[in-house]
Amino acid sequence: MNIILYEMGSSRSLRCRWTLKEAGIQYNSINDRSLLRSDELKKIHPLGKMPAALIDGRPLFESSAICDYIADQAKEINLIAKSGTWSRALHDQWVMFNYTELEAWLWSSAVNSFVLPEHERVPECIPQNAKMFKKAAYSIEKHLADYDYFIENRFTVTDIIIGYTLNWARRIKLVKDFKKINQYLERLYQREHCELPK
């Protein structure tokens, strides 16, 4: 398998890089911020964003799609629940919950803090975003009171995807009162290939 990963530091690209390393799959990295929104990158990602990948010459974008595909290829590693199983449905459930109920609020705050030009930002939304994030984070805290990991109580790509988001929240001090989430992150930090920035 020939993989070219267009990536950028500790962005969501980190999920893909971590998954590739856990899977033991070799890849070529193009880490070049100047390619953002370029015609070259738009051939892979319609908005010219990273991460994006060429896998055997075929374009694939969105970090979780890339991670899931990679994990599915590394069958001997058992990094993702098998397609068609209840565990795979739970993987999909938690990943979607992560994007819609957790990461959406973090991204909205980021957009209105430093992504958009200052005159386009709406900083008034940031406290509300934090409130909505924490509301969903209580569900994560409750789940982690009974499980060390999200799927089959073992480390999988689900943890790479959700762990990235929870660590983002930790870095902006949104989970300091969530004991189980912080213990979960400590477990992830111990993994050999974890690159989550502390």
Side-chain angles (χ1 to χ4, degrees), residues 1-196:
M1 186 163 44
N2 184 283
I3 298 177
I4 300 172
L5 178 65
Y6 290 79
E7 58 173 323
M8 190 174 63
S10 62
S11 70
R12 295 175 183 92
S13 308
L14 184 153
R15 288 173 171 145
C16 304
R17 190 166 61 245
W18 185 3
T19 303
L20 284 160
K21 289 179 178 179
E22 291 281 355
I25 294 175
Q26 296 296 314
Y27 67 101
N28 296 309
S29 169
I30 297 179
N31 192 337
D32 185 351
R33 177 182 283 271
S34 72
L35 290 173
L36 283 171
R37 296 170 192 67
S38 68
D39 290 341
E40 176 183 345
L41 197 52
K42 285 179 181 177
K43 291 176 183 175
I44 306 169
H45 189 303
L47 300 178
K49 290 185 174 183
M50 298 181 198
L54 280 174
I55 302 177
D56 293 331
R58 298 175 297 179
L60 190 63
F61 61 92
E62 292 299 335
S63 62
S64 61
I66 297 168
C67 290
D68 283 7
Y69 182 80
I70 291 163
D72 273 329
Q73 304 316 299
K75 292 180 173 50
E76 68 284 356
I77 305 296
N78 199 19
L79 195 53
I80 190 169
K82 291 178 176 55
S83 180
T85 64
W86 184 251
S87 292
R88 186 59 169 260
L90 292 177
H91 162 81
D92 293 341
Q93 166 192 275
W94 282 116
V95 168
M96 291 302 102
F97 184 88
N98 175 68
Y99 286 128
T100 58
E101 305 295 342
L102 296 171
E103 193 162 308
W105 305 112
L106 301 182
W107 179 239
S108 176
S109 292
V111 163
N112 287 288
S113 296
F114 58 85
V115 176
L116 288 174
E118 191 168 352
H119 69 279
E120 294 181 15
R121 298 174 193 168
V122 185
E124 293 80 9
C125 75
I126 294 173
Q128 184 182 64
N129 290 344
K131 179 180 178 180
M132 296 301 290
F133 172 89
K134 288 180 180 180
K135 181 179 177 182
Y138 283 113
S139 298
I140 299 291
E141 182 81 353
K142 184 177 178 182
H143 181 75
L144 292 173
D146 297 322
Y147 300 97
D148 286 343
Y149 299 99
F150 279 88
I151 305 301
E152 299 174 351
N153 210 23
R154 64 183 181 87
F155 177 83
T156 65
V157 74
T158 319
D159 300 295
I160 292 174
I161 294 167
I162 300 174
Y164 176 89
T165 303
L166 294 175
N167 191 64
W168 179 356
R170 183 199 62 79
R171 294 181 72 203
I172 58 174
K173 304 187 182 340
L174 286 182
V175 295
K176 62 179 184 295
D177 298 324
F178 291 82
K179 180 181 177 183
K180 295 299 181 181
I181 288 176
N182 282 286
Q183 289 174 343
Y184 168 73
L185 287 171
E186 287 298 328
R187 286 192 289 278
L188 297 187
Y189 297 149
Q190 299 307 311
R191 294 199 64 84
E192 177 186 358
H193 301 297
C194 177
E195 295 184 22
L196 294 175

